[in-house]
Amino acid sequence: LDFSRDSILEARQRVRQRQRELLLQQMLQQPEYHVGDVLGPRVWGFAAKEEFDVVSVQLAIHYMVASQQQLQQLLQRSAARLAPGGKFIGSTVCCRELGRHVLQLRQLLPEHLQQLQQQQLQQQETDAADELARVYEQQLAAAAAADKRVFFSGNSVFCIFFDEDTLARILDPYQLPEPHETEGGLPLLELLAAKGLQRQAVTLQVLQQLSSSYGLKYHFWLRSSIDAEEYVFPFAAARAAAQQQGLSCCLSVSFPRLLAAATSHPTTAADTLRWLQQQKHKRSRQLTPQQQAAFALYKAFAFVKEAPSSSSSSSSSSSSNSSSGAAQQTGASAGNSSNSSSL
């Protein structure tokens, strides 16, 4: 399901390609393809009578969820269509890794564009440098039009941009340094530390805001792939919202750790290593440090739909028991609930 017809066509092509490469084994049921907005009410009509084992949202939820209401709608509809034990599997930008880049943000200045253009002439790297230079120009122009500062962090493969209003929200209750301070080119954390603030306290505050606040918008550029606005996916808040819909978090892991686990697990190692060899053959090289940093930005997560609790039926069947017996049963149910939450 995707709102873009081009993406649906690409999905069809990928399935055929994976089958030819034997990376996708014979399917018990052929996939269906639908064009529509997953947050809209009408697109769920085709699935109204279906029950699914997996709902998968890969590298898209940070475009879809700009508010708490949108996330609740998505989780509620997904939970309603999942079978007991079914999983909601997603991938997104990691709050912890994003927070590390927030602390390294510097104000984007015309001098940075000039330096990039000079490097482009010296190294004769036209395509990538031209692409990033255009993004710099767009961000500087938008900041000038709004009479606001824009801050950036990244490398030649990816770049993250925050405007000063969003950055002020993330730093609250700490104050964003004044323009004459940020124009010096120092990273944000260094500027705040120079004011006497504790680095650890600032770091924890940034992570807390990113993990719990909705509507934090930034601009993300990934070479030859992405040049768009995204929203921070506040994972701690999302995990709590999922729990309210009967979805418990069973996985939260960075892409590098997930890949390392897949290459060592007996069930997935062979297919994963074969896929990696194919990727290396296509690119004829290992990931550069810049590409590794981009890869580390992302995480995978999964929520599992809890099976109906047997304690509720036991409680109703024993409603005629004595009050002391009911109290004992309530205590046992609470203990089971606690164990389930800890898992």
Side-chain angles (χ1 to χ4, degrees), residues 23-36:
L23 292 175
L24 189 63
Q25 303 301 322
Q26 182 178 0
M27 294 181 174
L28 297 178
Q29 183 176 348
Q30 288 301 311
E32 295 182 17
Y33 304 90
H34 298 272
V35 177

Side-chain angles (χ1 to χ4, degrees), residues 180-251:
H180 71 273
E181 298 172 304
T182 58
E183 289 173 355
L186 287 177
L188 183 60
L189 183 59
E190 299 301 323
L191 292 173
L192 294 173
K195 292 177 173 290
L197 298 177
Q198 295 293 324
R199 294 172 183 267
Q200 184 178 10
V202 174
T203 300
L204 291 176
Q205 174 62 22
V206 167
L207 181 58
Q208 170 67 21
Q209 290 283 35
L210 294 176
S211 300
S212 60
S213 301
Y214 293 91
L216 296 175
K217 185 169 61 175
Y218 61 94
H219 192 95
F220 185 68
W221 171 78
L222 180 65
R223 183 195 296 177
S224 304
S225 301
I226 303 172
D227 183 9
E229 290 183 344
E230 299 179 355
Y231 289 91
V232 175
F233 183 65
F235 189 73
R239 183 171 53 196
Q243 188 71 48
Q244 293 177 351
Q245 301 298 330
L247 301 171
S248 299
C249 182
C250 59
L251 177 73

Side-chain angles (χ1 to χ4, degrees), residues 87-98:
K87 291 183 174 65
F88 181 103
I89 302 175
S91 54
T92 187
V93 178
C94 175
C95 291
R96 187 176 299 277
E97 192 67 17
L98 186 59

